[in-house]
Amino acid sequence: MDAQLQILSEFSSSHHWMWLWPEIVLAALALALLAVELLLPKSDRWLLRISLGAQVAVFAALIAGLVGGTLPTSDVALFAGAIQPTLSGHLMRIFFVGCSILVCFLGYLYLERRPLARAEYYHLVMIVTAAMMLLAQITHFVAFFVALETVTIGFYILVAYGRNSSYSLEAGLKYMIMGGFSSGLLLFGIVLLYGAAGSPTLIGPAGDPFQFGQLGAVIAENPGNPLIVIGALLVIVGICFKIGSFPFQYWIPDVYQGAPTPTTAFLAVSSKSMGFYLLYVLLTGPFLGLQSILVPVIGIMTYCTIAFGNIAALGQNNVKRVIGMSGVAHAGILLVGILAAMRGVDWAFQAIFFYLITYALASFAVFGVMCHVAPDEDANQEREHYFGLMQNHPFLGGVLAVGLGSLAGIPPLAGFVAKAAIIVAAFQAKLYLLVAFVLVGVVVSIFYYFGWLRAAVTNPHPEIQGEPHPVVAPSVGSRALLAVLALASVVLGLYQGGLLS
Amino acid sequence: MPQLAFFSAISSFLEATHAATPTLAPLHLLIGILAPAICALLIAFFGSRLPLGATKAIAWIGFALPAWCALWIAGTYGAVAQSGEYQFLWQADLGLSKLLGIQLMLGVNGISVPMYVLAGIVGLAAGAYAIGSKVERQPLYLVLLLVMQSGLMGIFSSVDLFFYYFFHEFALIPTFILIAMWGRTLSSRKTVAMELTIYLTLGAMITLGGLIGLYVSSGAEAFNLIALQEALATGTAPTQIFLMLLIGFGILVSLFPFHTWAPPAYSTAPAPAAMLHAGVLKKFGLYGLIQIAVPLLPSGLAGYGGLLMWLALGNVIIIGFVTIAQQDLKRMLGNASVMHMGYAFLGIYAFSVMGAGGAVLMMFAHGLSVSLMFLLADAVERRAQTGDMREIGGMAQTAPVLAGLFIAGTMASIGLPGFANFWGELVIFTALWQSPHPWVAIAAVAGIVISAIYALRAVARIFFGEPKAELAATGDLQGWEKWPAILLLAALFVVGIWPRGFSEHLDAALAKQYPVKDVAVPVATVTDQSHAH
């Protein structure tokens, strides 16, 4: 009990609340949005403008702080050991805000055509983003679980947001069951770790076993303790549900397909990146002492993830499912980066972070095109809908080509540099067989990415395939956004500047 | 005193102009890569608003500038280089140097100059042919070819291996699209393009893995060839990496039995794409073996040389017989191009200055002759409306210039004296004869007979015999078909009668990394004389 009391007292007396201003601003604005909708009932565009404006301001301020070096970092955890601002954490915060801006914009494209509640969507996206940003700095399992549940519960609603679509509702239910299951496992793991690490029978029991630093010290002393091993494995399993690595990927196709396209993008990019950052933090932090057990376990999982993701994507015709399964394959490649980090490649985080950026840019470009091509039933986006896209909408076709090319890792696009960096890291970590898996995976992925592109360059024969599917012409705003995304993928492929260091 | 100032001004001016050559050279290397890329961008963004004539003019610039840069670099390199070392080095950090040791590093040495020139000349010929021909959506067609050209110029001027690979992929992607959109047969072109994409991506990925493995295990500070050479002069890298590179490059060069992508791809590809791919891009792998894999991993060649020899003989003999059986002209050329790669592989297998030099000479000559043949085959096919050689005949009467060029090209590819191919094959055979297994040379010479059979039979079928009635209206070569062909043939001829100008710096560069075998064989003088002095 003492520990908890101490936490409470430190929380109330701590003066570091100002350091969390981006999260507080986002959450406050998310609440304000609900009020704005009440006050200005017919203000679709205003809702978008307010949420985008606020997030762009936060994004710009964070970047300015990062470039100017004014973002505070701390060597010790603040808030009674719950939060520790680090450079990598700041990078992830910026990443999450950036993704959130794009999700909100895609959300606008989606909501524009559908009779659904507006403000709540932006509200939820911003709340979830604020929670993710907090998670990027958390070093305490209680705060960790609370923030993670905020994210997960927000996603339950976002997935089921298309409430007049049975696909979306089904996806929502599936995601909720899976999410509840994974949260349960995670919590069980946390409790086991807490119980084990706090036990006075171990060497050097922790005063606050929820705190990553103290937990890590106990684990380093007692790497063979079965409760600790099981607890750590359960925590990792809980996170692996988020990143969709094999064998915890089975919810992905249905949920990705059924969820509204912007939510799918949010899941595929932000939620997955969050999972990877948490894995990175845990595996190179508190769980470092369990390396001898965790490296083989995660290694086997990586092989399976790459193989499964690529093979399963081959047979899909629904593009949302393709994106889902290819996302599993990407998760496998990112796991290679995590493994390299565990085996002591000190720049692995840069490689992972760069990969996440390129993956986000390419994915949002593809999702942006999908939002324009999607039929009224958002879940039924088949490859055939892309027939004639290159001919009739060369702009959308070009963006799609850049996005898919970058996902496939084709030079000169950014995805290639990112994959090459991961491969170099894997070679340095002596993960030779995994490198071979990654390379073969890339070859297989060519088939489904180019198959999609092939549909886009195919001109439908009116008598056989019917008229081309109607496509929403992109507005000036979405043209600008998609052009920026595509251009960023090209430029980052040629010139990385300081981004990799 | 004023006189003194005057003289010192003159001397400083002279010094400045003398020093300007090395500073201008990287600029030329850069222009060679950027000019086609920029022209491609211009056409891509403004092509729809420009008249077709303006688009073509931009494309002309995009193909002519690299060719000019290539010749300029070759001339300047000949004047500057003494030792075969890399010259005209220029580097720029694009953001990867700190973590990965990767920089854009341009430069040429004696091995890359011939390939660089090849890329420039074939690019100009293919570009001129593409600009002249009538195809649907020509602006996009030219954009893709220009992108290819940009990548080709980049491959052979990159010292950094990351960018060497990067430019290869840069040139490869347009090939896939060109085949998928402008391929010969509507029904199969998408399938062929997809097959090619997957097969070549596999090869490229294995290559990438091998290159990165070489880099990491060598412990070099940077990913460029100079740093790797320094690191591996003292250290070693595992020989398995050589096998990886051999298979990776082998797939890309169509080493037997990884060649099955080549004949359908070349017979389907539009002529300029086939010219650029078979003529230049495919040499990426051989160039990689000669410049990177063999010198850096000689123990690898010692270990896997036997394998390489048998596979290369498979190219020459087995594919040789397959080629004889072909009825379709372009398919025959595709197979023949696979077969001729076997000679280059055998030259590498011989592991000597002479063998590698012969392989480079062969690559150069084959690049020119195969692109010439694809150009002429396209001209034949357009006139006959079919590629089936059994249904064509007597074209010598309706198109004598085409017939003359075709026969000259055929003679060149068989390896008749007077053309560059002759020297390539001769030097390789000599090098093989001096290698531990001279019988390989005999087996390889048998390939000459095979090429003579299919090539001469093709000439006989297409150009002689009774002309088909419908051919009469088609006429002879027009200017846009004729001049690119003459350019290629002239280049073949120049190197054919003056190989020495070609081999001098090549040998100097090779002698640093390959054992010299000074066995007194008369024909060896072609390449061996030059480094004697």
Side-chain angles (χ1 to χ4, degrees):
Chain A
M1 281 309 282
D2 279 356
Q4 274 82 345
L5 281 177
Q6 190 198 350
I7 290 171
L8 280 178
S9 69
E10 281 196 27
F11 257 105
S12 54
S13 68
S14 176
H15 298 295
H16 296 296
W17 286 98
M18 273 308 289
W19 290 18
L20 298 180
W21 69 265
E23 287 83 357
I24 295 171
V25 166
L26 278 189
L29 257 149
L31 289 172
L33 267 187
L34 298 177
V36 167
E37 204 203 15
L38 283 180
L39 296 173
L40 307 163
K42 302 208 167 183
S43 55
D44 276 12
R45 281 180 171 275
W46 276 108
L47 288 174
L48 179 73
R49 280 177 196 163
I50 292 171
S51 70
L52 280 192
Q55 293 180 78
V56 169
V58 171
F59 185 67
L62 278 173
I63 287 199
L66 183 78
V67 174
T70 54
L71 282 184
T73 55
S74 164
D75 293 334
V76 291
L78 311 168
F79 294 100
I83 282 175
Q84 184 181 0
T86 56
L87 185 61
S88 55
H90 290 319
L91 289 172
M92 290 312 291
R93 285 164 95 187
I94 296 173
F95 178 83
F96 289 138
V97 184
C99 291
S100 173
I101 294 171
L102 296 166
V103 170
C104 285
F105 190 83
L106 295 188
Y108 176 75
L109 292 178
Y110 172 82
L111 295 171
E112 204 181 22
R113 297 160 59 188
R114 287 174 181 82
L116 295 168
R118 262 94 169 113
E120 287 79 355
Y121 197 86
Y122 308 123
H123 168 84
L124 284 166
V125 169
M126 285 161 80
I127 292 282
V128 166
T129 301
M132 285 179 178
M133 290 166 72
L134 212 53
L135 261 176
Q137 312 168 71
I138 279 174
T139 52
H140 192 282
F141 266 128
V142 172
F144 177 92
F145 189 73
V146 172
L148 194 64
E149 277 306 280
T150 312
V151 173
T152 312
I153 291 171
F155 267 116
Y156 295 157
I157 311 171
L158 287 174
V159 169
Y161 205 82
R163 58 182 175 185
N164 41 17
S165 153
S166 57
Y167 290 98
S168 182
L169 295 177
E170 183 194 327
L173 188 64
K174 281 184 178 161
Y175 188 67
M176 194 165 81
I177 294 170
M178 284 307 127
F181 183 52
S182 73
S183 293
L185 291 177
L186 184 75
L187 198 57
F188 190 30
I190 292 174
V191 168
L192 281 181
L193 284 174
Y194 179 77
S199 155
T201 57
L202 290 184
I203 309 164
D208 179 4
F210 284 132
Q211 213 282 323
F212 287 0
Q214 299 186 32
L215 180 65
V218 177
I219 291 179
E221 290 290 333
N222 310 283
N225 185 298
L227 284 182
I228 285 181
V229 171
I230 295 172
L233 282 176
L234 285 174
V235 168
I236 288 169
V237 165
I239 298 173
C240 282
F241 267 102
K242 304 280 174 230
I243 63 175
S245 66
F246 186 86
F248 313 109
Q249 88 301 335
Y250 47 84
W251 59 274
I252 281 189
D254 286 348
V255 173
Y256 274 38
Q257 185 192 356
T261 307
T263 304
T264 312
F266 202 21
L267 272 176
V269 180
S270 294
S271 172
K272 185 172 295 199
S273 307
M274 174 196 76
F276 272 105
Y277 186 67
L278 296 181
L279 262 191
Y280 173 79
V281 166
L282 289 175
L283 291 174
T284 59
F287 294 169
L288 203 59
L290 298 173
Q291 257 198 338
S292 56
I293 300 161
L294 292 184
V295 167
V297 169
I298 294 181
I300 292 168
M301 201 163 79
T302 310
Y303 286 117
C304 300
T305 306
I306 295 175
F308 184 88
N310 280 310
I311 294 170
L314 283 179
Q316 309 289 346
N317 197 47
N318 183 300
V319 294
K320 283 173 109 178
R321 294 176 88 94
V322 171
I323 277 278
M325 295 327 289
S326 85
V328 173
H330 283 283
I333 297 174
L334 279 160
L335 277 175
V336 176
I338 297 273
L339 277 169
M342 289 171 80
R343 296 189 49 162
V345 176
D346 51 359
W347 55 276
F349 176 73
Q350 280 99 309
I352 295 171
F353 185 64
F354 188 72
Y355 197 99
L356 288 177
I357 291 179
T358 62
Y359 175 70
L361 288 172
S363 299
F364 276 112
V366 173
F367 279 115
V369 176
M370 282 164 71
C371 277
H372 289 94
V373 180
D376 288 337
E377 176 48 73
D378 194 56
N380 294 334
Q381 302 187 33
E382 304 299 325
R383 212 178 270 167
E384 287 73 31
H385 292 144
Y386 286 80
F387 279 159
L389 186 70
M390 210 54 107
Q391 179 112 37
N392 303 329
H393 297 271
F395 176 77
L396 289 179
V399 172
L400 183 73
V402 170
L404 291 178
S406 188
L407 285 177
I410 301 292
L413 302 169
F416 168 66
V417 178
K419 281 206 176 77
I422 293 271
I423 292 172
V424 173
F427 255 115
Q428 285 188 351
K430 300 194 166 50
L431 302 164
Y432 301 123
L433 201 58
L434 269 177
V435 171
F437 255 69
V438 171
L439 294 175
V440 173
V442 170
V443 177
V444 177
S445 77
I446 293 284
F447 184 80
Y448 51 83
Y449 286 128
F450 279 39
W452 189 346
L453 267 187
R454 194 171 130 169
V457 299
T458 303
N459 290 326
H461 200 282
E463 282 163 23
I464 304 169
Q465 286 120 339
E467 288 300 308
H469 171 74
V471 170
V472 179
S475 66
V476 178
S478 48
R479 265 175 182 271
L481 190 80
L482 290 177
V484 167
L485 287 172
L487 208 64
S489 279
V490 177
V491 170
L492 273 183
L494 296 168
Y495 182 81
Q496 296 77 27
L499 209 60
L500 258 169
S501 43
Chain B
M1 289 308 279
Q3 290 93 328
L4 213 68
F6 178 70
F7 281 118
S8 72
I10 284 190
S11 71
S12 65
F13 173 75
L14 285 177
E15 268 172 32
T17 47
H18 188 69
T21 307
T23 48
L24 273 179
L27 189 67
H28 280 77
L29 293 177
L30 210 56
I31 290 175
I33 299 169
L34 287 181
I38 291 171
C39 291
L41 279 179
L42 285 177
I43 299 177
F45 282 109
F46 306 110
S48 52
R49 274 166 254 168
L50 291 173
L52 196 59
T55 302
K56 287 182 177 176
I58 296 175
W60 267 116
I61 298 173
F63 288 112
L65 273 179
W68 186 76
C69 288
L71 294 177
W72 191 93
I73 288 288
T76 315
Y77 184 86
V80 173
Q82 301 298 328
S83 55
E85 294 275 3
Y86 267 108
Q87 297 287 338
F88 315 144
L89 287 175
W90 178 84
Q91 49 192 349
D93 181 12
L94 299 179
L96 293 173
S97 70
K98 226 176 261 170
L99 270 184
L100 301 173
I102 294 168
Q103 282 189 316
L104 176 60
M105 190 175 189
L106 301 180
V108 286
N109 70 357
I111 305 173
S112 54
V113 165
M115 304 317 296
Y116 192 68
V117 174
L118 173 73
I121 295 176
V122 174
L124 181 60
Y129 188 73
I131 293 170
S133 55
K134 291 176 191 60
V135 291
E136 282 176 49
R137 305 175 76 184
Q138 195 173 19
L140 184 58
Y141 189 67
L142 293 174
V143 165
L144 292 168
L145 288 168
L146 282 166
V147 171
M148 249 182 119
Q149 179 66 4
S150 168
L152 293 175
M153 299 306 282
I155 292 172
F156 299 113
S157 55
S158 289
V159 185
D160 189 287
L161 296 190
F162 179 84
F163 279 96
Y164 161 71
Y165 175 86
F166 180 92
F167 283 122
H168 170 256
E169 289 276 296
F170 201 73
L172 199 54
I173 303 299
T175 321
F176 305 147
I177 306 173
L178 281 163
I179 293 179
M181 293 180 72
W182 287 274
R184 180 164 65 164
T185 46
L186 198 64
S187 54
S188 67
R189 62 193 181 193
K190 292 227 165 78
T191 317
V192 170
M194 186 60 104
E195 267 174 32
L196 182 73
T197 310
I198 290 173
Y199 211 147
L200 292 193
T201 306
L202 179 67
M205 283 299 140
I206 297 175
T207 306
L208 181 66
L211 290 176
I212 291 179
L214 183 65
Y215 173 38
V216 173
S217 59
S218 74
E221 296 284 312
F223 204 176
N224 62 60
L225 205 49
I226 298 169
L228 279 172
Q229 278 164 1
E230 275 168 21
L232 285 169
T234 50
T236 52
T239 52
Q240 290 90 329
I241 291 176
F242 183 84
L243 184 65
M244 254 181 109
L245 288 174
L246 180 64
I247 293 176
F249 284 138
I251 291 176
L252 296 173
V253 192
S254 66
L255 175 66
F256 180 84
F258 312 116
H259 66 282
T260 46
W261 58 267
Y266 290 146
S267 60
T268 310
M275 289 165 74
L276 285 180
H277 192 279
V280 191
L281 187 54
K282 201 159 81 158
K283 309 297 184 288
F284 163 88
L286 292 167
Y287 175 79
L289 283 175
I290 294 173
Q291 180 90 289
I292 304 161
V294 175
L296 293 182
L297 298 160
S299 57
L301 183 66
Y304 299 103
L307 176 71
L308 173 61
M309 180 200 80
W310 283 110
L311 297 183
L313 280 179
N315 272 56
V316 173
I317 307 290
I318 299 179
I319 305 304
F321 283 118
V322 171
T323 313
I324 292 181
Q326 301 301 317
Q327 306 296 352
D328 181 274
L329 176 58
K330 281 190 172 174
R331 229 181 153 85
M332 184 200 87
L333 289 176
N335 276 298
S337 132
V338 175
M339 174 194 170
H340 282 127
M341 290 299 98
Y343 293 129
F345 279 117
L346 285 173
I348 294 168
Y349 155 75
F351 191 50
S352 61
V353 171
M354 201 194 287
V360 175
L361 196 50
M362 177 77 200
M363 283 150 68
F364 184 84
H366 176 263
L368 293 171
S369 65
V370 79
S371 42
L372 172 66
M373 291 313 285
F374 272 118
L375 190 160
L376 295 173
D378 200 51
V380 167
E381 203 180 276
R382 193 172 35 247
R383 282 169 177 70
Q385 299 291 321
T386 174
D388 193 331
M389 291 185 283
R390 289 168 297 189
E391 293 174 19
I392 318 175
M395 214 179 245
Q397 292 174 32
T398 57
V401 178
L402 172 58
L405 286 170
F406 195 99
I407 292 168
T410 306
M411 295 304 162
S413 9
I414 300 173
L416 226 65
F419 293 106
N421 308 55
F422 167 73
W423 296 112
E425 289 176 8
L426 190 64
V427 174
I428 289 172
F429 294 152
T430 314
L432 285 175
W433 188 253
Q434 294 171 356
S435 76
H437 301 290
W439 63 268
V440 179
I442 298 166
V445 171
I448 299 278
V449 182
I450 297 176
S451 351
I453 293 173
Y454 65 71
L456 294 178
R457 200 174 57 161
V459 168
R461 278 177 164 177
I462 297 170
F463 293 101
F464 301 104
E466 274 304 300
K468 295 262 155 54
E470 58 270 24
L471 277 179
T474 55
D476 207 345
L477 287 185
Q478 290 165 326
W480 59 274
E481 298 168 297
K482 190 161 52 185
W483 289 110
I486 290 175
L487 169 71
L488 294 169
L489 199 63
L492 274 173
F493 193 64
V494 167
V495 179
I497 56 171
W498 192 52
R500 167 84 180 279
F502 181 96
S503 59
E504 205 165 336
H505 296 292
L506 172 59
D507 285 358
L510 289 171
K512 291 189 168 315
Q513 289 149 347
Y514 287 80
V516 182
K517 289 183 186 159
D518 275 314
V519 185
V521 175
V523 284
T525 48
V526 178
T527 56
D528 268 9
Q529 243 175 17
S530 48
H531 57 79
H533 57 245

